[in-house]
Amino acid sequence: MGIPKYHKWLEQRYPDAFKEAHQEQADHVYVDINTMLHDCMRHATSADGFYQHLFAKLDALFRTVVPINSVYLAVDGPACCAKCLTQRQRRRAHAQKDAKSAKGKGKGKRGKWGADGASPLSNNMLTPGVPFMTSLTAALEYYAASRLYPGGCFSRCHAATVSGAQAVGEGEHKIVSQMLRNAAAATAGGSAEETHVISSGDADIFLLSLVQSTCRRVRVVSERPDEGGQGKRRRGMILQIWNAEVLSKYILSELKCPGTRSAPDEAALRRDFALLSLLGGNDYLPELKCGMGAQQLWEQYLSLRRKQFASTSLIQGSVVEEGLPLSHLEGGWAYELGERGAAFIAEPYEHFSFYLPFLSKLMTIAAGGAVAKAAVCDRTAEGVRKYLEGLLWNLEMYHHGYCGDFYYVLEKSLQSFASARVIAQYVSSLDADDIDPLAPPRSEFGPMRPISCAICVLPVQHAEQFLCPAAPMLRPMFKADHPLLGAVNSIELSEELQECKKKTAALHQQMMSLRAQGRDDSAVKAQLTIAQQRTESLKKGGSDIDLVPLWEVDAEVAEKCASKGLPELEFRLDVSLVRGDGEAFTLPAPARGMRPAQCNGVVYIEGEWPSAENEPQGASENGEVLGEEAANEEELQNDLEEVAEELEPGVVFEVGATIQAYWPEDGTYLPATITQVYDDGSFQIVWDEDGSQSDVPADYVQMLGEGTEPDEPPAKRPRVVS
């Protein structure tokens, strides 16, 4: 979800870093797909409908965000444990909505896409480790392969990569790593600086695209309703485009240091900006308690830099001698998986630390003035130190997209120490000769396995429902007496507690209603107090997931599932579909009505792509890769024509295909997506401009083609709207 109100603050302070457009293109396009997945799940009632909706949305996206060289589809994989509590709380809310919907309608939710299925879909199925996500990864590989051919939205691309739910890391972090791998390959090939566009609805992506310094030409796009359209059919979406390069120039110009001729280190300044942004709180760390907002903190930072710390940044970086983090050295999880760490070739791996005099001064100002020196007890020191180390840990993770320690967690009991006043007292009490320097936690140990992640993130009812059909040996882990998870399960399994929570919510609403009417609420308030006391009493003896040693949960899962062959137990590297000579293969269709993807002229590669150790397939001897130059375009077109000759006739007219369809009222062709193929050869389509559905005959449908004039149908017939 990112930093609260961060997007709005950036828009207000740096409006020139944002613009709007109907289309954007770049050498490399990256999609953080999770927001789209949840939207599709809300509108689908069957797996077939889900995939039809997803493919239609992706096709619409890639008509407005056009990739020239490569595309990268990122799904959230096993994340760091610091996010488990937040994720579990969100999924509890989803579970409650699902239960309420099923109770009210009998058959579960009803949506636009697909027919009612026997097993209702749930947004909680979109969790790493759930079998549905294994199928989703295969479906995205099918999508990527089918769009590489003529008429597809990747027809200009050299490669399409899918990073599924079994690949380590969250989607936005994977994107940063992939950007750096692309930059390393471009540098090795002698290419000019390339452009990168990220499609994401998460505010965190702004920071991730800002902290690293190798990829400068980075833009982040998000879709918004276009209010300027004329009529319902013409109203669509418009892109809001955020330019990281422009923002970098603005924050550099804001720092005007009198008395010094040398310009400040831009990379260090951007790191400081990101660190101050993190003080607003996110999914890993709480908001800093102080009397200032993010904008005021940044103003104070700039003032301190101009007056006292002209040549010194708040965050100090030092390049690591071995060039790689522990995870990518021998014995680390990446080494065991076969991930070579190509991202670190483009961007040196650095250790971050605070410049303590600067931190002390900034926290003192944020606390409202002078802070009296006082002895800091061990508990306070533990809490403050862990919070500060967490900030550095978060910043390092944003730098390369890799997590230095998957098991770092700032427990709820320590979050009160994220306070400017307490931090100022703690820093002033430090003695550089007697204390270990502040450093982010690092470990060579990998994250929880995907299925372990699902157990720790999902509420117990959904974890048992989604996982046990394929892994019945895990059922004991969902009981109230389980040694590790029992205290968490007992709270979620208690029907009395759930009823008490509902009663508390209803009484609170009733009390507020009475107050709004100016009536006496004392009787309801007394009942509410009793209900709240009962709720707290029922919670005693239970705990939440942030207090569970999750590495022990992962070890138990590995032991119980050993030799069972569960795909969700193991990690999986990214998969790239790259143009080149290779054996012909077929990818099965994920939904009824879709034909298998015949992948001739495409190579299926597992692992990092592009790899800095090997020149990308299809590169010329001088290192040039497919781009916009005329010679390369001609070569690409020849390749596409050869592939097209091998395809079956009509293969593009399948469910999910991007086409243009005739609109009789205007006598013109408009872009649309096929959602169903009927036995008589006609189609059900969705018009891109307004999302409405129509049934059209076969001769109303043509391929999208550049520079071609569509033929008028033999006979104009009125469209039939579904």
Side-chain angles (χ1 to χ4, degrees):
M1 294 302 234
I3 302 168
K5 301 179 182 179
Y6 188 61
H7 190 175
K8 183 178 180 180
W9 177 68
L10 287 176
E11 281 189 286
Q12 291 175 343
R13 187 173 180 89
Y14 307 104
D16 291 341
F18 293 83
K19 69 174 185 177
E20 291 185 344
H22 287 281
Q23 191 177 71
E24 186 77 351
Q25 69 174 13
D27 294 304
H28 306 285
V29 172
Y30 314 82
V31 183
D32 184 3
I33 203 171
N34 270 67
T35 300
M36 189 179 293
L37 295 178
H38 282 274
D39 181 67
C40 291
M41 188 64 81
R42 281 191 292 270
H43 294 87
T45 55
S46 70
D48 285 356
F50 171 82
Y51 290 125
Q52 290 166 2
H53 192 191
L54 175 61
F55 289 5
K57 286 181 73 71
L58 284 170
D59 285 340
L61 172 66
F62 288 116
R63 280 191 292 276
T64 56
V65 184
V66 181
I68 298 172
N69 192 350
S70 78
V71 67
Y72 187 80
L73 303 176
V75 181
D76 281 354
C80 54
C81 295
K83 199 170 182 178
C84 277
L85 177 61
T86 303
Q87 290 179 320
R88 190 159 183 134
Q89 289 172 337
R90 289 174 186 160
R91 282 162 173 77
R92 284 170 182 159
H94 278 306
Q96 291 173 0
K97 289 180 182 178
D98 290 345
K100 190 174 182 179
S101 176
K103 184 177 180 181
K105 297 182 180 179
K107 295 183 180 179
K109 66 177 181 180
R110 297 182 64 87
K112 175 181 176 182
W113 289 82
D116 286 334
S119 300
L121 298 179
S122 168
N123 282 64
N124 281 354
M125 295 169 69
L126 301 172
T127 301
V130 174
F132 181 83
M133 297 301 284
T134 305
S135 303
L136 172 64
T137 302
L140 290 174
E141 293 172 13
Y142 167 90
Y143 174 83
S146 62
R147 268 54 177 179
L148 280 169
Y149 290 114
C153 46
F154 303 159
S155 59
R156 300 175 66 186
C157 293
H158 178 62
T161 301
V162 174
S163 185
Q166 290 170 256
V168 176
E170 296 176 66
E172 59 265 32
H173 302 156
K174 297 179 185 181
I175 285 172
V176 172
S177 299
Q178 181 68 11
M179 284 173 54
L180 294 173
R181 286 193 288 267
N182 283 331
T187 302
S191 299
E193 190 173 4
E194 296 177 323
T195 55
H196 308 263
V197 164
I198 305 170
S199 174
S200 174
D202 196 329
D204 272 8
I205 202 69
F206 295 129
L207 293 185
L208 274 78
S209 63
L210 192 67
V211 173
Q212 52 79 33
S213 55
T214 299
C215 302
R216 301 295 303 276
R217 301 175 66 187
V218 181
R219 286 154 285 163
V220 178
V221 301
S222 56
E223 289 187 316
R224 291 189 173 186
D226 183 4
E227 303 298 341
Q230 298 296 322
K232 180 179 179 182
R233 180 170 61 81
R234 299 296 185 188
R235 190 180 300 125
M237 303 298 290
I238 194 169
L239 295 176
Q240 185 187 57
I241 304 169
W242 179 84
N243 194 317
E245 192 172 15
V246 172
L247 179 64
S248 296
K249 292 178 181 178
Y250 269 101
I251 62 176
L252 190 62
S253 66
E254 285 185 314
L255 184 58
K256 297 177 181 178
C257 303
T260 179
R261 295 181 180 179
S262 60
D265 182 347
E266 183 182 340
L269 181 61
R270 285 189 274 107
R271 283 198 298 260
D272 285 359
F273 182 86
L275 187 281
L276 291 172
S277 300
L278 289 175
L279 297 180
N282 59 13
D283 289 343
Y284 315 108
L285 296 166
E287 180 182 4
L288 177 73
K289 297 177 180 64
C290 66
M292 297 182 180
Q295 189 165 359
Q296 293 170 302
L297 281 172
W298 178 241
E299 293 288 359
Q300 293 299 329
Y301 166 86
L302 292 173
S303 177
L304 286 172
R305 283 296 303 266
R306 297 185 191 111
K307 296 177 182 178
Q308 299 183 41
F309 302 99
S311 59
T312 309
S313 58
L314 177 60
I315 297 295
Q316 308 287 303
S318 58
V319 178
V320 181
E321 291 183 3
E322 61 270 20
L324 294 171
L326 295 177
S327 57
H328 287 68
L329 297 176
E330 187 170 355
W333 61 265
Y335 182 89
E336 294 175 0
L337 285 179
E339 189 173 295
R340 296 180 295 275
F344 300 105
I345 297 174
E347 186 87 358
Y349 180 64
E350 293 184 74
H351 283 174
F352 293 151
S353 60
F354 286 107
Y355 183 53
L356 293 181
F358 197 160
L359 177 64
S360 177
K361 190 69 176 178
L362 181 64
M363 290 297 103
T364 299
I365 294 173
V371 176
K373 289 188 176 182
V376 178
C377 68
D378 291 343
R379 181 64 173 172
T380 301
E382 178 191 4
V384 172
R385 189 179 186 88
K386 198 162 187 179
Y387 171 69
L388 293 176
E389 290 176 344
L391 289 171
L392 296 174
W393 164 85
N394 201 165
L395 197 61
E396 283 193 4
M397 181 164 58
Y398 282 1
H399 189 202
H400 288 100
Y402 289 103
C403 180
D405 182 359
F406 280 94
Y407 293 97
Y408 166 83
V409 175
L410 182 68
E411 298 86 353
K412 284 192 294 184
S413 61
L414 297 177
Q415 293 184 4
S416 61
F417 298 113
S419 161
R421 181 170 296 278
V422 177
I423 292 173
Q425 291 177 336
Y426 171 75
V427 174
S428 65
S429 69
L430 292 180
D431 186 336
D433 297 327
D434 298 335
I435 194 120
D436 293 332
L438 288 167
R442 304 183 185 97
S443 171
E444 71 276 15
F445 297 110
M448 293 182 291
R449 293 167 175 81
I451 198 168
S452 305
C453 179
I455 291 173
C456 295
V457 165
L458 288 170
V460 60
Q461 299 93 333
H462 273 182
E464 188 171 16
Q465 177 185 344
F466 299 153
L467 304 180
C468 286
M473 72 290 298
L474 296 177
R475 289 193 187 278
M477 300 188 73
F478 306 126
K479 305 300 181 183
D481 58 354
H482 186 263
L484 292 173
L485 296 169
V488 182
N489 295 340
S490 62
I491 292 179
E492 294 179 351
L493 291 172
S494 173
E495 294 183 3
E496 184 181 358
L497 178 59
Q498 301 308 318
E499 289 299 322
C500 199
K501 286 183 177 179
K502 291 179 183 178
K503 183 178 180 180
T504 300
L507 288 171
H508 183 268
Q509 186 176 4
Q510 185 180 354
M511 182 182 70
M512 298 306 294
S513 176
L514 290 172
R515 288 182 179 179
Q517 299 173 37
R519 298 169 60 187
D520 181 25
D521 65 348
S522 56
V524 176
K525 185 177 181 180
Q527 296 179 50
L528 177 61
T529 301
I530 295 172
Q532 289 173 334
Q533 291 173 347
R534 180 56 180 163
T535 300
E536 292 303 316
S537 175
L538 291 171
K539 284 183 178 180
K540 287 183 178 179
S543 64
D544 221 326
I545 198 68
D546 64 322
L547 298 180
V548 177
L550 300 184
W551 56 91
E552 294 185 17
V553 174
D554 188 54
E556 182 175 342
V557 169
E559 181 181 356
K560 288 182 179 294
C561 298
S563 304
K564 301 299 181 184
L566 295 174
E568 294 77 25
L569 185 65
E570 303 300 331
F571 299 111
R572 188 182 178 193
L573 295 173
D574 293 352
V575 167
S576 296
L577 296 151
V578 182
R579 297 192 189 279
D581 297 329
E583 295 183 5
F585 64 99
T586 301
L587 292 178
R592 289 171 294 181
M594 298 182 185
R595 300 184 183 183
Q598 307 294 332
C599 303
N600 301 327
V602 170
V603 181
Y604 187 97
I605 298 174
E606 293 189 44
E608 295 177 344
W609 184 267
S611 170
E613 297 178 4
N614 300 301
E615 188 172 318
Q617 296 187 26
S620 61
E621 292 181 0
N622 62 3
E624 293 180 353
V625 295
L626 294 172
E628 294 184 285
E629 293 80 358
N632 286 338
E633 287 286 356
E634 182 178 355
E635 181 183 352
L636 175 59
Q637 187 60 38
N638 291 337
D639 291 343
L640 296 180
E641 290 174 358
E642 292 176 5
V643 173
E645 293 175 359
E646 301 176 2
L647 294 176
E648 298 177 8
V651 70
V652 293
F653 296 129
E654 61 182 16
V655 172
T658 301
I659 50 90
Q660 55 189 9
Y662 189 72
W663 190 284
E665 287 87 335
D666 294 349
T668 185
Y669 278 82
L670 296 175
T673 302
I674 295 176
T675 55
Q676 190 169 348
V677 180
Y678 296 117
D679 293 337
D680 62 359
S682 62
F683 305 98
Q684 181 189 74
I685 64 173
V686 171
W687 301 94
D688 291 352
E689 292 203 19
D690 64 357
S692 65
Q693 288 185 342
S694 294
D695 290 338
V696 297
D699 59 358
Y700 269 44
V701 174
Q702 294 186 0
M703 279 182 54
L704 279 171
E706 294 186 5
T708 60
E709 194 68 25
D711 298 326
E712 185 175 356
K716 292 186 178 182
R717 298 178 292 275
R719 69 189 184 102
V720 180
V721 181
S722 300

